[in-house]
Amino acid sequence: MDLKPQYRELEEKDYQDVLDLVTETWNYAEWVQPDMIASMAGYFLNDALLVSDRCIVAEIDGRFAGIVTASVGQCNRLTGFLMQQQLNILMTLTADLSGRIGVFYQYLQTKKINQNMLNSVTGRFDGHIPLFIVKSEFKGMGLGSALFSQVMDIFRLNEVKNYFLFSDSASNHDFYRHKGMTKIRNHTFLWDEADPATAEDYYLFEGRVAKG
């Protein structure tokens, strides 16, 4: 078995592997009804890929092992404002006429939390890491650090000086701190307002690109 990772750009044939990884990583089966899992995970994945300029896939022994994506270019205040407005519109369109709130509406609330955190930052960022996942069976092998290095190379090539990413308490957010990133915003969201046990924390991290 060849344990040395190979890196390449994302292709259409990888889509299902990445979708399955998203579904597994965030345990969609535990909080989304079965007939909505593929659509919910697909929305999250497509949302991340569409804002990414580069999508790097890692393979180990010919098997899909992880993915990281990078967005290059400043996110200005107008863009942030328009994205927030778009979320408000989408939340209005998805709200049930009876006032009931479904899980997709709640998911959009978490996206709005992320956007609000980003919009509250005075400075601007040159880069963004929209998606970063390593398959569970390949964790502990240094693959996460290797993929992170791939993104840093992309950022240096494009003269990115500072960047951001979103994370949450369900993810291994300590990894980013170990990589020198700083948590600059956080917000707690209750998936069920009557149950404190459903609280989830959302984070905004910033980082600076070291010279190669």
Side-chain angles (χ1 to χ4, degrees):
M1 181 177 180
D2 183 7
L3 296 180
K4 184 178 180 181
Q6 302 294 321
Y7 305 101
R8 59 174 175 78
E9 293 285 344
L10 178 73
E11 300 176 16
E12 288 183 20
K13 66 185 179 75
D14 303 310
Y15 185 82
Q16 189 61 50
D17 284 330
V18 184
L19 184 62
D20 290 343
L21 182 54
V22 166
T23 304
E24 171 193 322
T25 301
W26 281 281
N27 300 312
Y28 274 71
E30 293 185 4
W31 56 283
V32 179
Q33 61 192 60
D35 61 338
M36 289 185 63
I37 290 176
S39 296
M40 285 276 295
Y43 184 90
F44 169 85
L45 175 58
N46 296 342
D47 202 41
L49 296 179
L50 285 168
V51 298
S52 299
D53 297 301
R54 297 284 304 278
C55 304
I56 306 298
V57 165
E59 289 184 336
I60 294 180
D61 198 35
R63 299 164 59 202
F64 173 79
I67 182 172
V68 67
T69 73
S71 175
V72 175
Q74 281 203 346
C75 178
N76 61 47
R77 189 163 295 277
L78 177 60
T79 300
F81 170 79
L82 292 174
M83 291 181 72
Q84 188 176 46
Q85 295 305 305
Q86 191 77 336
L87 281 169
N88 289 338
I89 292 168
L90 191 53
M91 289 172 70
T92 300
L93 292 173
T94 55
D96 191 290
L97 291 177
S98 66
R100 291 180 299 176
I101 296 177
V103 68
F104 184 64
Y105 182 93
Q106 291 178 299
Y107 164 73
L108 292 175
Q109 286 181 298
T110 67
K111 284 184 61 64
K112 187 174 180 179
I113 286 170
N114 285 343
Q115 191 61 52
N116 286 342
M117 289 192 296
L118 182 61
N119 289 354
S120 73
V121 178
T122 303
R124 298 295 89 192
F125 296 100
D126 303 318
H128 174 204
I129 301 179
L131 186 65
F132 186 11
I133 326 176
V134 173
K135 204 168 183 180
S136 57
E137 64 187 280
F138 296 109
K139 290 181 177 178
M141 300 170 58
L143 182 58
S145 293
L147 282 169
F148 193 83
S149 294
Q150 291 279 320
V151 172
M152 293 303 104
D153 288 342
I154 292 171
F155 283 162
R156 278 189 283 268
L157 184 64
N158 289 274
E159 300 182 341
V160 170
K161 294 180 175 60
N162 61 340
Y163 61 97
F164 74 94
L165 61 80
F166 299 115
S167 189
D168 54 61
S169 53
S171 305
N172 182 22
H173 53 89
D174 280 341
F175 173 87
Y176 305 118
R177 183 169 51 81
H178 292 314
K179 292 300 179 184
M181 299 189 72
T182 303
K183 185 192 302 179
I184 58 172
R185 296 287 189 279
N186 66 276
H187 186 100
T188 300
F189 176 74
L190 285 174
W191 287 87
D192 181 348
E193 293 185 358
D195 184 2
T198 66
E200 188 171 21
D201 294 324
Y202 290 82
Y203 310 122
L204 173 62
F205 280 85
E206 72 170 349
R208 297 197 173 275
V209 181
K211 293 182 179 180

